Amino acid sequence: MSSTLPFAPGNYRYIPGVFQYSAGVVADPGYRIERVRFQQPVPLTEGFERIAAILGAVGRPLTSFCACELRSPAPFDEAGFVAFNRVYVGTLEKWGVFDGVTNPVARSNVCPEYNGPKEPSFYAFCYTVPDAAAAPSFVVAGSGEAPEGKGSYADHAIMPGDTSPTGLRAKAHWVIGEMERRMAALGFGWKDCTASQLYTVYDIHPFMAEELVQHGVMAAGLTWHFNRPPIVGLDYEMDCRGVYVEKTAAL
């Protein structure tokens, strides 16, 4: 995993990404990743407080926070996305996770088409715990149909504005390839996934068999969220994980 870097305080390695998130994480040997989903999305500030309390209750440091899934009211324009991310990483900096430049935490941030939150909120999060007998566990961050770190998403999106079956298939093909590239960097593939998640409000059925099933994306099933990616102009996003312990936090 030469393309990953260690985050020793969190007991995991990560694929370097952009300032707001990494492209994926894998637990160090002797540790496993656990996932907690909130029964209902929790607003950002309260969510960080609840996460800190949950980590404290299980005896884990704040630096063990390694991945999260967010829900936002509607897609951001690019300036709004940057502004939101500056607020988000502020807490990670206080926690000793973000050093002002490099962020090891993987993330997805999507926007429900219906019944979404009134403000950016936590849907789920992951953290590491000691486990000498743990199977390897990982989380790949969400990606829409544009490469990260190249400036404007709109300038690099795959077939921008084309939501025809042909356009969506091209977007899906690129995103699936990006998931595979990130998993490979962590040392995994689709066969190692315990969950794959898809975020789009458009019809995937015309290309489901060839792009999703035949690629192995649906080996563990597929969770399709009727959500949009977080940036105006993007139409298709995915993330995936191999996590063997998952919990739900009650209201």
Side-chain angles (χ1 to χ4, degrees):
M1 292 185 290
S2 60
S3 56
T4 64
L5 295 176
F7 183 60
N11 307 115
Y12 62 90
R13 299 182 67 87
Y14 67 96
I15 306 169
V18 287
F19 86 89
Q20 59 264 36
Y21 43 77
S22 73
V25 297
V26 58
D28 287 342
Y31 289 83
R32 70 170 184 264
I33 294 173
E34 293 190 0
R35 178 177 182 265
V36 175
R37 180 180 66 81
F38 292 111
Q39 189 173 356
Q40 297 291 334
V42 181
L44 201 67
T45 299
E46 180 187 348
F48 273 123
E49 292 171 353
R50 290 190 64 182
I51 291 168
I54 290 169
L55 294 178
V58 297
R60 294 298 290 152
L62 296 175
T63 51
S64 66
F65 178 73
C66 65
C68 65
E69 300 162 50
L70 304 182
R71 296 293 185 267
S72 292
F76 298 88
D77 61 22
E78 303 219 21
F81 192 56
V82 171
F84 163 73
N85 286 319
R86 292 295 179 191
V87 173
Y88 163 78
V89 300
T91 298
L92 298 185
E93 191 165 17
K94 294 175 184 176
W95 283 10
V97 176
F98 176 59
D99 64 6
V101 178
T102 303
N103 189 344
V105 177
R107 194 185 84 186
S108 296
N109 181 8
V110 291
C111 308
E113 185 74 348
Y114 301 104
N115 304 316
K118 295 181 180 179
E119 59 186 291
S121 301
F122 280 99
Y123 176 79
F125 72 98
C126 295
Y127 59 98
T128 59
V129 297
D131 183 348
S137 51
F138 67 96
V139 177
V140 168
S143 175
E145 72 272 20
E148 304 279 6
K150 293 185 177 294
S152 169
Y153 288 90
D155 290 344
H156 297 89
I158 305 301
M159 299 186 73
D162 188 346
T163 56
S164 70
T166 299
L168 289 169
R169 181 170 185 156
K171 297 170 194 285
H173 185 82
W174 190 90
V175 171
I176 290 166
E178 181 64 12
M179 294 292 99
E180 292 171 348
R181 287 186 284 273
R182 295 180 181 188
M183 281 192 287
L186 296 172
F188 301 98
W190 292 116
K191 64 180 177 57
D192 303 302
C193 289
T194 58
S196 299
Q197 299 190 115
L198 165 66
Y199 310 96
T200 188
V201 299
Y202 298 103
D203 186 10
I204 67 172
H205 293 96
F207 56 83
M208 178 183 285
E210 292 82 1
E211 296 295 340
L212 297 170
V213 179
Q214 291 184 18
H215 270 89
V217 175
M218 296 176 65
L222 179 72
T223 302
W224 179 3
H225 299 265
F226 202 72
N227 295 357
R228 295 180 184 272
I231 304 292
V232 172
L234 298 184
D235 300 306
Y236 186 99
E237 181 163 335
M238 293 189 73
D239 60 37
C240 55
R241 62 184 183 270
V243 175
Y244 297 94
V245 179
E246 303 203 8
K247 307 172 183 178
T248 301
L251 293 173

